[in-house]
């Protein structure tokens, strides 16, 4: 019988799909495993057992498994020493403070906004909301409600406010986005230029007539309270009488500003020709001129004031008679305004409302606040004025004016996420776009453009910057991709990064990114799946390595977020009596088990009634010793039969740890061993700081009979040999634990006999 030593020196590709089990020719095969459960991939190629979950807070939420998420935790970082975990819930926000020692305490619970109205967050929308933070204010967005601001008002106090736009000093103009929702050619005809009770008549059906008519009005119309733009002025609808008639209040006067020098005079006559695009005026129509400058010898006083249309030349030109004759033919007049209520086709409605929907996406980029994707304008993208996050006035397209863009390519592109990178990344339901950053210049109204790059579409999971790319889950909900610039195609690509481990991506519901923490220097991406597991990704582009592992527990993961170097999760656990509850936990190297705490007791008896019900089976660890599993009785855990001297112990729930290799294969002189009967006779593990490991049901023995049993056990670092039995056509090495203690595997060497 021949023997061969097969080194498994690294697991850099992590857990791979079972469909790769026969790809012994691939470099991935020898650097991956069939199962990598509850391990982190290390940069050096080995694996280390994940940290346990400390029990921080038990939520009072009644578990409803029909909801995608009932708690969504997100980070709120105000400063290095003032950090918070935000829990979005049904009609509620809970704020947890993370102090400088990383102690977590509930700071406040909010159920109303600053106007005493109920919060708009529900179990049906919290998994879809997007958010962005600037200073002490977090903006939270969803298509079904106006953006909310979560404002930090003190060390442990917060308030929720509805986002409002700035107004001009006279409160007659709201600096918000507007859009012409009417079909082309539909006119709006106001009955007056100022005041309340002004009638606005459209040439075809436009006004919302939700509900029943009462007293000649539709009191449930969604147009009530909506602002409109008529030329350069605004009005608000106060009632709706029919699909073609509404009543409203004009803010100030209905005016229209002319372009510079739009007046023309002819020598010897008082006729003034006016150029005004789509003026809407008719012969003998009245209007008022204001702020006109002298032109052709006609003084200001003979131009300004009440005037009447003498002749309509065309849709863009008309004449009126001034108060004096011109002394010369000239063009001028400055930039006057015309007060008029003539019917026009160019009018617009505020973009954000209960009727048209609200922004689905929010981000900060280049000192602007960006919104995107309403129900009425699914491909709309708006950027605020520079440094003024409450002003979206497009003005005259100055460099610091607001931006109003549309990702219009003929398809329906509902914007779901906006991510600030070197360029602004825009993820929609069908395509991926960018607003490119120009070399040496910032984005302005005159140079801004939105360009399609790829066509995979994005799910509702918030994308994250990771390893130089923006990582997102595509619209299929089953593939994780990286959106990154490629010199080869001179544009962005959306290469898949989960192909080899696609079985670990199971209807993802949330993503978070960690940069070096939990005792590790690597970066990790956490994706919470609907089945309660977490797919964990680690990569290094320079070293061309990337791999996935899976985190599981006796409960099920529900949400995850990262605060600096700490990872927190909401996990659903059975308390032991069939009652499921959500718990806020932290991945902590201080613990070996989940839902764990350090309990104080007497003579080996510990009260755990605050966390576990009678009948719960829990695990007890004391330092480097695993005392075993115990059943809670009378609210206590009694380990006195094992050790009655201890007064402090870790009590929690152990979790499975599994590293199952691909079938051990090798290439020999007469071909591969694939399919041939063979056995793994001996396995050598290179361990580091390990207290418990089992190889194919053979346990690591740490203690010898000559050891002093009263002293802590010393963790094993170095090579350890395990002898195995059994033949098979696909021999594998399965590494587990029989005790929830430290475990790190640097490499494996398998001795194969055939």
């Amino acid at each position: 019988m021949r023997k061969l030593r097969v080194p498994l020196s690294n697991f850099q590709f992590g857990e791979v799909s079972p469909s790769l089990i026969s790809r012994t020719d691939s470099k991935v095969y020898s650097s991956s495993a069939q199962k990598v459960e509850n391990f982190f991939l290390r940069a050096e190629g080995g694996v280390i057992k994940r940290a346990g979950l400390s029990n921080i807070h038990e939520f009072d939420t009644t578990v409803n498994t029909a909801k995608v998420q009932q708690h969504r935790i997100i980070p709120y970082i105000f400063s290095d020493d003032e950090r918070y975990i935000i829990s979005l819930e049904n009609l509620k926000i809970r704020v947890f403070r993370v102090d400088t020692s990383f102690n977590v305490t509930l700071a406040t619970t909010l159920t109303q906004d600053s106007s005493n109205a109920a919060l708009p967050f529900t179990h049906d929308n919290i998994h879809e909301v997007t958010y962005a933070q600037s200073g002490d204010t977090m903006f939270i967005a969803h298509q079904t409600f106006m953006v909310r601001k979560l404002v930090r008002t003190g060390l442990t106090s917060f308030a929720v406010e509805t986002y409002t736009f700035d107004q001009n000093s006279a409160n007659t103009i709201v600096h918000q986005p507007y859009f012409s929702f009417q079909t082309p050619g539909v006119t709006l005809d106001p009955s007056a230029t100022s005041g309340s009770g002004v009638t606005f008549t459209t040439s075809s059906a436009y006004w919302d007539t939700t509900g029943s008519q009462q007293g000649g009005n539709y009191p449930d119309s969604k147009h009530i309270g909506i602002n409109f733009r008529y030329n350069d002025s605004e009005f608000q609808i106060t009632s709706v009488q029919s699909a073609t008639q509404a009543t409203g209040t004009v803010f100030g006067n209905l005016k229209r500003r002319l372009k510079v020098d739009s007046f023309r005079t002819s020598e010897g006559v008082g006729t003034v020709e006016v150029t005004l695009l789509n003026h809407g005026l008719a012969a003998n129509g009245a209007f008022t001129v204001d702020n006109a400058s002298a032109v052709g010898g006609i003084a200001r006083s003979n131009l300004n004031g009440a005037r009447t249309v003498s002749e309509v030349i065309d849709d863009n030109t008309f004449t009126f008679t001034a108060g004096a004759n011109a002394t010369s033919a000239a063009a001028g007049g400055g930039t006057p305004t015309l007060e008029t209520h003539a019917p026009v086709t160019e009018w617009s409605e505020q973009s954000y409302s209960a009727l048209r929907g609200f922004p689905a996406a929010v981000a900060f980029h280049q000192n602007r606040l960006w919104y995107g994707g309403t129900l009425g304008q699914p491909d709309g993208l708006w950027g605020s004025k520079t440094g003024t996050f409450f002003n979206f006035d497009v003005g005259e397209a100055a460099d610091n004016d607001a931006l109003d863009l549309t990702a219009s390519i003929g398809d329906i592109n509902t914007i779901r996420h906006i991510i600030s990178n070197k360029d602004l990344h825009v993820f929609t339901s069908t395509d991926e776009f960018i607003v490119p950053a120009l070399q040496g210049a910032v984005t302005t109204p005159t140079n801004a453009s939105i360009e399609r790059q790829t066509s995979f579409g994005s799910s509702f999971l918030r994308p994250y910057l990771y390893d130089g790319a923006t990582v997102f889950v595509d619209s299929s909900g089953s593939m994780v991709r990286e959106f990154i610039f490629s010199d080869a195609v001179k544009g962005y690509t959306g290469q898949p990064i989960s192909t080899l481990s696609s079985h670990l991506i199971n209807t993802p519901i949330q993503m978070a990114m960690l940069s070096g923490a939990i005792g590790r220097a690597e970066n990790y991406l956490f994706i919470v799946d609907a089945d309660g597991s977490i797919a964990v990704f680690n990569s290094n582009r320079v070293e061309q390595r990337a791999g996935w592992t899976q985190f599981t527990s006796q409960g099920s993961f529900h949400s995850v977020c990262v605060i600096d170097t700490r990872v927190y999760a909401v996990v659903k656990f059975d308390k032991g009596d069939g009652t499921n509850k959500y718990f806020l936990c932290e991945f902590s190297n201080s613990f070996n088990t989940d839902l764990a705490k350090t309990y104080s007791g007497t003579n080996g008896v510990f009260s755990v009634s605050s966390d576990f019900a009678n009948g719960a089976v829990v695990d007890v660890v004391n330092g480097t010793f695993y005392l075993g599993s115990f059943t809670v009785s009378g609210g206590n855990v009694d380990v006195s039969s094992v050790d009655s001297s201890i007064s402090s112990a870790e009590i929690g729930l152990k979790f499975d740890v599994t590293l199952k290799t691909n079938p051990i294969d090798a290439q020999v002189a007469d071909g591969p061993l694939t399919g041939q009967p063979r056995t793994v006779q001996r396995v050598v593990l290179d361990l580091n700081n390990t207290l418990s490991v089992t190889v194919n049901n053979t346990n690591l023995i740490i203690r010898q009979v000559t050891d002093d049993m009263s002293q802590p056990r010393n963790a094993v670092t170095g090579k350890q040999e395990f002898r195995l039995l059994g033949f098979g056509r696909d021999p594998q090495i399965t590494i587990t634990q029989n005790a929830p203690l430290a475990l790190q595997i640097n490499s494996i060497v398998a001795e194969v006999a055939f």
Side-chain angles (χ1 to χ4, degrees), residues 35-74:
K35 190 172 187 62
V36 187
E37 181 181 16
N38 287 318
F39 281 105
F40 279 112
L41 297 179
R42 301 188 66 227
E44 298 88 343
V47 295
I48 185 171
K49 177 185 173 181
R50 75 160 171 88
L53 291 169
S54 65
N55 180 356
I56 297 173
H57 178 85
E58 179 182 337
F59 292 103
D60 56 3
T61 308
T62 300
V63 173
N64 184 346
T65 56
K67 302 302 181 181
V68 176
Q69 275 188 312
Q70 291 183 268
H71 292 263
R72 181 180 174 188
I73 53 174
I74 57 179

Short mmCIF file of all heavy atoms in Angstrom, two decimals, residues 35-74:
data_model
loop_
_atom_site.label_atom_id
_atom_site.label_comp_id
_atom_site.label_asym_id
_atom_site.label_seq_id
_atom_site.Cartn_x
_atom_site.Cartn_y
_atom_site.Cartn_z
N LYS A 35 -17.28 22.61 3.91
CA LYS A 35 -18.05 23.33 4.92
C LYS A 35 -17.09 24.08 5.83
O LYS A 35 -16.13 23.51 6.35
CB LYS A 35 -18.91 22.38 5.75
CG LYS A 35 -19.91 23.09 6.66
CD LYS A 35 -20.86 22.10 7.29
CE LYS A 35 -21.98 22.82 8.07
NZ LYS A 35 -22.82 23.66 7.20
N VAL A 36 -17.36 25.37 6.02
CA VAL A 36 -16.59 26.20 6.94
C VAL A 36 -17.61 26.97 7.77
O VAL A 36 -18.07 28.04 7.38
CB VAL A 36 -15.63 27.16 6.21
CG1 VAL A 36 -14.73 27.87 7.22
CG2 VAL A 36 -14.78 26.43 5.18
N GLU A 37 -17.97 26.39 8.89
CA GLU A 37 -19.05 26.93 9.71
C GLU A 37 -18.51 27.53 11.00
O GLU A 37 -17.78 26.88 11.75
CB GLU A 37 -20.05 25.82 10.04
CG GLU A 37 -21.23 26.27 10.87
CD GLU A 37 -22.18 25.13 11.21
OE1 GLU A 37 -21.77 23.96 11.06
OE2 GLU A 37 -23.32 25.41 11.62
N ASN A 38 -18.87 28.79 11.22
CA ASN A 38 -18.48 29.54 12.42
C ASN A 38 -16.98 29.71 12.56
O ASN A 38 -16.41 29.65 13.66
CB ASN A 38 -19.08 28.89 13.67
CG ASN A 38 -20.57 29.13 13.77
OD1 ASN A 38 -21.04 30.23 13.51
ND2 ASN A 38 -21.32 28.09 14.11
N PHE A 39 -16.34 29.94 11.43
CA PHE A 39 -14.92 30.29 11.39
C PHE A 39 -14.74 31.60 10.64
O PHE A 39 -15.47 31.89 9.68
CB PHE A 39 -14.10 29.22 10.66
CG PHE A 39 -13.79 28.00 11.47
CD1 PHE A 39 -14.47 26.81 11.23
CD2 PHE A 39 -12.81 28.02 12.45
CE1 PHE A 39 -14.17 25.67 11.96
CE2 PHE A 39 -12.51 26.89 13.18
CZ PHE A 39 -13.19 25.71 12.94
N PHE A 40 -13.75 32.38 11.04
CA PHE A 40 -13.24 33.48 10.24
C PHE A 40 -12.10 32.96 9.39
O PHE A 40 -11.28 32.15 9.87
CB PHE A 40 -12.69 34.61 11.11
CG PHE A 40 -13.73 35.55 11.66
CD1 PHE A 40 -14.00 35.59 13.01
CD2 PHE A 40 -14.42 36.42 10.83
CE1 PHE A 40 -14.94 36.46 13.54
CE2 PHE A 40 -15.36 37.30 11.33
CZ PHE A 40 -15.62 37.32 12.69
N LEU A 41 -12.01 33.41 8.14
CA LEU A 41 -10.81 33.16 7.34
C LEU A 41 -9.73 34.13 7.76
O LEU A 41 -9.97 35.34 7.90
CB LEU A 41 -11.12 33.35 5.85
CG LEU A 41 -12.14 32.40 5.22
CD1 LEU A 41 -12.34 32.75 3.75
CD2 LEU A 41 -11.73 30.96 5.38
N ARG A 42 -8.52 33.62 7.95
CA ARG A 42 -7.41 34.47 8.34
C ARG A 42 -6.60 34.88 7.11
O ARG A 42 -6.54 34.16 6.12
CB ARG A 42 -6.50 33.75 9.34
CG ARG A 42 -7.22 33.31 10.61
CD ARG A 42 -6.25 32.78 11.64
NE ARG A 42 -5.37 33.84 12.10
CZ ARG A 42 -4.05 33.71 12.20
NH1 ARG A 42 -3.46 32.58 11.84
NH2 ARG A 42 -3.32 34.70 12.64
N ALA A 43 -5.97 36.03 7.19
CA ALA A 43 -5.17 36.51 6.07
C ALA A 43 -4.06 35.54 5.71
O ALA A 43 -3.68 35.41 4.55
CB ALA A 43 -4.58 37.89 6.41
N GLU A 44 -3.55 34.82 6.72
CA GLU A 44 -2.45 33.89 6.48
C GLU A 44 -2.91 32.59 5.82
O GLU A 44 -2.10 31.77 5.42
CB GLU A 44 -1.76 33.56 7.81
CG GLU A 44 -1.13 34.76 8.50
CD GLU A 44 -2.11 35.49 9.42
OE1 GLU A 44 -3.34 35.27 9.26
OE2 GLU A 44 -1.67 36.27 10.26
N GLY A 45 -4.23 32.39 5.74
CA GLY A 45 -4.76 31.21 5.06
C GLY A 45 -5.48 30.24 5.96
O GLY A 45 -6.25 29.39 5.48
N GLY A 46 -5.25 30.31 7.26
CA GLY A 46 -5.92 29.41 8.18
C GLY A 46 -7.30 29.91 8.57
O GLY A 46 -7.85 30.84 7.97
N VAL A 47 -7.88 29.27 9.61
CA VAL A 47 -9.19 29.67 10.09
C VAL A 47 -9.15 29.79 11.61
O VAL A 47 -8.36 29.10 12.27
CB VAL A 47 -10.28 28.66 9.67
CG1 VAL A 47 -10.46 28.62 8.17
CG2 VAL A 47 -9.97 27.25 10.20
N ILE A 48 -9.99 30.65 12.14
CA ILE A 48 -10.09 30.82 13.58
C ILE A 48 -11.57 30.86 13.95
O ILE A 48 -12.39 31.48 13.25
CB ILE A 48 -9.36 32.10 14.05
CG1 ILE A 48 -9.38 32.20 15.57
CG2 ILE A 48 -9.95 33.34 13.41
CD1 ILE A 48 -8.49 33.32 16.12
N LYS A 49 -11.90 30.18 15.01
CA LYS A 49 -13.28 30.12 15.47
C LYS A 49 -13.81 31.52 15.76
O LYS A 49 -13.11 32.36 16.31
CB LYS A 49 -13.36 29.26 16.74
CG LYS A 49 -14.73 29.15 17.37
CD LYS A 49 -14.66 28.37 18.68
CE LYS A 49 -15.98 28.40 19.41
NZ LYS A 49 -15.90 27.67 20.70
N ARG A 50 -15.06 31.74 15.37
CA ARG A 50 -15.66 33.06 15.63
C ARG A 50 -15.85 33.27 17.11
O ARG A 50 -15.89 32.34 17.92
CB ARG A 50 -17.00 33.19 14.90
CG ARG A 50 -18.16 32.42 15.53
CD ARG A 50 -19.49 33.01 15.05
NE ARG A 50 -20.67 32.25 15.40
CZ ARG A 50 -21.35 32.37 16.53
NH1 ARG A 50 -20.92 33.18 17.48
NH2 ARG A 50 -22.45 31.65 16.73
N ALA A 51 -15.99 34.52 17.47
CA ALA A 51 -16.24 34.88 18.87
C ALA A 51 -17.66 34.49 19.27
O ALA A 51 -18.55 34.32 18.42
CB ALA A 51 -16.04 36.38 19.06
N GLY A 52 -17.88 34.37 20.57
CA GLY A 52 -19.22 34.12 21.07
C GLY A 52 -20.05 35.39 21.05
O GLY A 52 -19.56 36.48 20.72
N LEU A 53 -21.33 35.26 21.39
CA LEU A 53 -22.24 36.39 21.38
C LEU A 53 -22.61 36.76 22.81
O LEU A 53 -23.24 35.97 23.52
CB LEU A 53 -23.52 36.05 20.60
CG LEU A 53 -23.39 35.89 19.09
CD1 LEU A 53 -24.68 35.29 18.52
CD2 LEU A 53 -23.10 37.22 18.42
N SER A 54 -22.21 37.93 23.23
CA SER A 54 -22.58 38.39 24.57
C SER A 54 -24.02 38.89 24.56
O SER A 54 -24.47 39.51 23.60
CB SER A 54 -21.64 39.49 25.04
OG SER A 54 -21.78 40.64 24.22
N ASN A 55 -24.72 38.65 25.62
CA ASN A 55 -26.12 39.05 25.76
C ASN A 55 -26.16 40.47 26.33
O ASN A 55 -25.78 40.72 27.47
CB ASN A 55 -26.84 38.08 26.69
CG ASN A 55 -28.31 38.42 26.89
OD1 ASN A 55 -28.79 39.44 26.41
ND2 ASN A 55 -29.00 37.57 27.61
N ILE A 56 -26.63 41.43 25.50
CA ILE A 56 -26.66 42.83 25.92
C ILE A 56 -28.05 43.27 26.35
O ILE A 56 -28.23 43.89 27.40
CB ILE A 56 -26.16 43.75 24.78
CG1 ILE A 56 -24.71 43.44 24.44
CG2 ILE A 56 -26.33 45.22 25.14
CD1 ILE A 56 -24.20 44.18 23.22
N HIS A 57 -29.06 42.94 25.53
CA HIS A 57 -30.40 43.47 25.80
C HIS A 57 -31.44 42.53 25.22
O HIS A 57 -31.31 42.06 24.08
CB HIS A 57 -30.55 44.86 25.17
CG HIS A 57 -31.91 45.47 25.34
ND1 HIS A 57 -32.27 46.17 26.47
CD2 HIS A 57 -33.00 45.49 24.53
CE1 HIS A 57 -33.51 46.61 26.33
NE2 HIS A 57 -33.98 46.20 25.17
N GLU A 58 -32.48 42.26 25.99
CA GLU A 58 -33.61 41.48 25.50
C GLU A 58 -34.73 42.42 25.09
O GLU A 58 -35.19 43.25 25.88
CB GLU A 58 -34.12 40.52 26.58
CG GLU A 58 -35.32 39.69 26.12
CD GLU A 58 -35.86 38.77 27.20
OE1 GLU A 58 -35.09 38.42 28.12
OE2 GLU A 58 -37.05 38.40 27.12
N PHE A 59 -35.16 42.31 23.82
CA PHE A 59 -36.25 43.15 23.32
C PHE A 59 -37.59 42.57 23.74
O PHE A 59 -37.75 41.36 23.88
CB PHE A 59 -36.19 43.25 21.80
CG PHE A 59 -35.00 44.01 21.28
CD1 PHE A 59 -33.90 43.34 20.75
CD2 PHE A 59 -34.96 45.39 21.31
CE1 PHE A 59 -32.80 44.03 20.27
CE2 PHE A 59 -33.86 46.10 20.84
CZ PHE A 59 -32.78 45.41 20.31
N ASP A 60 -38.57 43.45 23.89
CA ASP A 60 -39.91 43.01 24.26
C ASP A 60 -40.80 42.73 23.06
O ASP A 60 -42.00 42.49 23.20
CB ASP A 60 -40.57 44.06 25.17
CG ASP A 60 -40.61 45.44 24.52
OD1 ASP A 60 -40.19 45.59 23.35
OD2 ASP A 60 -41.06 46.39 25.20
N THR A 61 -40.24 42.76 21.87
CA THR A 61 -41.00 42.57 20.64
C THR A 61 -41.57 41.16 20.56
O THR A 61 -40.89 40.18 20.83
CB THR A 61 -40.10 42.81 19.42
OG1 THR A 61 -39.45 44.06 19.56
CG2 THR A 61 -40.89 42.79 18.13
N THR A 62 -42.82 41.07 20.15
CA THR A 62 -43.44 39.76 19.88
C THR A 62 -42.96 39.29 18.51
O THR A 62 -43.16 39.97 17.50
CB THR A 62 -44.97 39.86 19.89
OG1 THR A 62 -45.40 40.31 21.18
CG2 THR A 62 -45.59 38.50 19.59
N VAL A 63 -42.34 38.14 18.47
CA VAL A 63 -41.75 37.64 17.22
C VAL A 63 -42.84 37.30 16.21
O VAL A 63 -43.80 36.59 16.53
CB VAL A 63 -40.87 36.41 17.50
CG1 VAL A 63 -40.38 35.80 16.18
CG2 VAL A 63 -39.69 36.79 18.38
N ASN A 64 -42.68 37.83 15.00
CA ASN A 64 -43.58 37.53 13.88
C ASN A 64 -42.72 37.08 12.71
O ASN A 64 -42.10 37.89 12.04
CB ASN A 64 -44.40 38.77 13.51
CG ASN A 64 -45.43 38.50 12.41
OD1 ASN A 64 -45.37 37.47 11.74
ND2 ASN A 64 -46.36 39.41 12.24
N THR A 65 -42.68 35.78 12.48
CA THR A 65 -41.78 35.24 11.45
C THR A 65 -42.22 35.59 10.04
O THR A 65 -41.48 35.37 9.08
CB THR A 65 -41.69 33.71 11.58
OG1 THR A 65 -43.02 33.15 11.52
CG2 THR A 65 -41.06 33.32 12.92
N ALA A 66 -43.42 36.16 9.88
CA ALA A 66 -43.88 36.55 8.54
C ALA A 66 -43.23 37.85 8.08
O ALA A 66 -43.30 38.18 6.89
CB ALA A 66 -45.40 36.70 8.53
N LYS A 67 -42.59 38.59 8.99
CA LYS A 67 -41.97 39.85 8.64
C LYS A 67 -40.49 39.64 8.30
O LYS A 67 -39.81 38.83 8.92
CB LYS A 67 -42.07 40.84 9.80
CG LYS A 67 -43.51 41.13 10.24
CD LYS A 67 -44.35 41.69 9.10
CE LYS A 67 -45.77 41.99 9.57
NZ LYS A 67 -46.62 42.51 8.45
N VAL A 68 -40.03 40.37 7.30
CA VAL A 68 -38.63 40.25 6.89
C VAL A 68 -37.70 40.65 8.03
O VAL A 68 -36.75 39.94 8.36
CB VAL A 68 -38.36 41.13 5.64
CG1 VAL A 68 -36.87 41.09 5.27
CG2 VAL A 68 -39.20 40.65 4.46
N GLN A 69 -37.98 41.80 8.63
CA GLN A 69 -37.21 42.26 9.78
C GLN A 69 -38.13 42.98 10.75
O GLN A 69 -38.97 43.77 10.34
CB GLN A 69 -36.08 43.22 9.36
CG GLN A 69 -34.80 42.55 8.92
CD GLN A 69 -33.68 43.54 8.70
OE1 GLN A 69 -33.84 44.55 8.05
NE2 GLN A 69 -32.52 43.25 9.25
N GLN A 70 -37.96 42.68 12.03
CA GLN A 70 -38.68 43.41 13.06
C GLN A 70 -37.75 44.35 13.83
O GLN A 70 -38.22 45.26 14.51
CB GLN A 70 -39.35 42.43 14.03
CG GLN A 70 -40.50 41.66 13.38
CD GLN A 70 -41.19 40.75 14.37
OE1 GLN A 70 -40.85 39.58 14.51
NE2 GLN A 70 -42.18 41.30 15.07
N HIS A 71 -36.46 44.10 13.71
CA HIS A 71 -35.44 44.99 14.25
C HIS A 71 -34.37 45.15 13.16
O HIS A 71 -33.88 44.15 12.64
CB HIS A 71 -34.77 44.43 15.50
CG HIS A 71 -35.67 44.36 16.69
ND1 HIS A 71 -35.70 45.34 17.66
CD2 HIS A 71 -36.58 43.44 17.07
CE1 HIS A 71 -36.59 45.02 18.57
NE2 HIS A 71 -37.14 43.87 18.25
N ARG A 72 -34.05 46.38 12.85
CA ARG A 72 -32.91 46.62 11.96
C ARG A 72 -31.97 47.57 12.68
O ARG A 72 -32.32 48.72 12.94
CB ARG A 72 -33.35 47.23 10.63
CG ARG A 72 -32.16 47.47 9.69
CD ARG A 72 -32.58 48.06 8.38
NE ARG A 72 -31.44 48.40 7.56
CZ ARG A 72 -31.52 49.08 6.41
NH1 ARG A 72 -32.69 49.46 5.95
NH2 ARG A 72 -30.43 49.36 5.73
N ILE A 73 -30.80 47.08 13.03
CA ILE A 73 -29.85 47.92 13.75
C ILE A 73 -28.87 48.54 12.76
O ILE A 73 -28.38 47.89 11.83
CB ILE A 73 -29.10 47.14 14.85
CG1 ILE A 73 -28.44 45.87 14.31
CG2 ILE A 73 -30.04 46.81 15.99
CD1 ILE A 73 -27.57 45.15 15.34
N ILE A 74 -28.61 49.84 12.96
CA ILE A 74 -27.71 50.59 12.09
C ILE A 74 -26.81 51.46 12.98
O ILE A 74 -27.18 51.83 14.09
CB ILE A 74 -28.47 51.47 11.07
CG1 ILE A 74 -29.42 52.44 11.78
CG2 ILE A 74 -29.24 50.60 10.10
CD1 ILE A 74 -30.18 53.36 10.84
#
